[in-house]
Amino acid sequence: MKVVWLNVGMPRTQHYGRELVWTAGAKRPVPGAALGLQGFDGDGQADRRNHGGVDKAVCVYPFDHYAYWAKLFGRPLEAASFSENLTVSGAVEDEVCIGDVFVVGEAVVQVSQPRTPCGKLAGKNQQRTLTRWVAQAGYTGFYMRVLSEGLVSNGDAFEPIERHPESISVSAVNDIIFGRSEDERLIERLAHLPEFGSDGRALFAGRLERLRRGQEVTG
């Protein structure tokens, strides 16, 4: 596992088709950047309500999926096509688990939750149905929090140093988010898992409450 591209960018106006969009999604590769608790130097978010913060300090996307999307789009993809901070080879959603800890460069980071695709990502790639395609494929990427700050560079190893004992993969979480699973036991585990991002815990706590209310009505 290694960093293929390290990408940063600050919010600015972009033309997505005929629409003008204020976004930090137009990230570009840089040789290296300092990583702090809130993210990389030189990186920002236009929508602070849904992006950024300690649980979403780093957005990671697997380079392994780029060939799939290039074939589907019918064209090569540029670096940071999914507006990710780290494009990483060898770390995919089926294998990476919530709470897993990695060292990258001088920093230590922890998987917090899947990345949920948004409409701006579809606009950037000029693919109107991209959010649906991402949900169907499960190729979402994931967010990480920073446990220890430090310098990160292109080509750095992305090395697992601690696997979380719950072993709940990003893909398993995606299956619940996108309606492919209603595993109540897993939903309950995630609703109370400290390493799961606060947004995710709240979402799953609500999902659990609705499931149980439904059981009471049908029971």
Side-chain angles (χ1 to χ4, degrees):
M1 302 182 189
K2 71 172 187 176
V3 177
V4 178
W5 297 305
L6 164 58
N7 314 293
V8 298
M10 297 299 292
R12 55 194 175 103
T13 301
Q14 294 288 300
H15 284 272
Y16 289 168
R18 298 179 180 178
E19 189 177 2
L20 282 175
V21 178
W22 179 249
T23 176
K27 302 188 188 299
R28 292 291 181 266
V30 294
L35 176 58
L37 297 180
Q38 295 285 338
F40 284 102
D41 284 355
D43 193 59
Q45 293 80 34
D47 178 6
R48 295 290 299 178
R49 182 178 180 181
N50 296 302
H51 302 286
V54 293
D55 285 338
K56 301 178 182 178
V58 181
C59 181
V60 178
Y61 200 79
F63 181 72
D64 309 61
H65 301 329
Y66 266 63
Y68 172 89
W69 295 117
K71 183 176 180 181
L72 192 62
F73 295 174
R75 57 174 171 79
L77 269 64
E78 298 179 349
S81 285
F82 288 82
S83 301
E84 69 272 22
N85 298 121
L86 296 179
T87 313
V88 174
S89 64
V92 295
E93 295 85 354
D94 287 342
E95 299 170 3
V96 172
C97 295
I98 304 300
D100 284 356
V101 178
F102 292 77
V103 63
V104 55
E106 298 174 351
V108 179
V109 290
Q110 182 180 49
V111 180
S112 57
Q113 63 191 72
R115 187 263 190 92
T116 304
C118 66
K120 288 182 180 179
L121 197 61
K124 173 181 178 174
N125 286 282
Q126 300 179 38
Q127 301 289 338
R128 291 170 54 189
T129 56
L130 181 58
T131 55
R132 178 166 57 85
W133 290 346
V134 170
Q136 289 173 343
Y139 293 168
T140 58
F142 49 91
Y143 285 113
M144 308 190 84
R145 63 176 61 87
V146 179
L147 302 182
S148 179
E149 300 173 325
L151 181 67
V152 179
S153 301
N154 273 346
D156 279 344
F158 187 74
E159 183 178 357
I161 58 172
E162 183 181 330
R163 295 296 193 180
H164 196 277
E166 290 281 352
S167 298
I168 303 172
S169 71
V170 172
S171 288
V173 181
N174 280 333
D175 284 344
I176 296 171
I177 291 173
F178 298 122
R180 291 187 288 269
S181 170
E182 289 190 351
D183 185 334
E184 183 176 337
R185 184 179 177 186
L186 181 56
I187 292 170
E188 183 172 15
R189 287 164 63 196
L190 285 160
H192 298 96
L193 186 68
E195 292 80 10
F196 194 29
S198 58
D199 289 351
R201 291 199 307 273
L203 175 68
F204 278 59
R207 184 79 60 91
L208 183 63
E209 184 180 350
R210 288 192 296 274
L211 278 173
R212 289 178 172 170
R213 266 205 315 265
Q215 290 168 0
E216 289 174 1
V217 170
T218 58

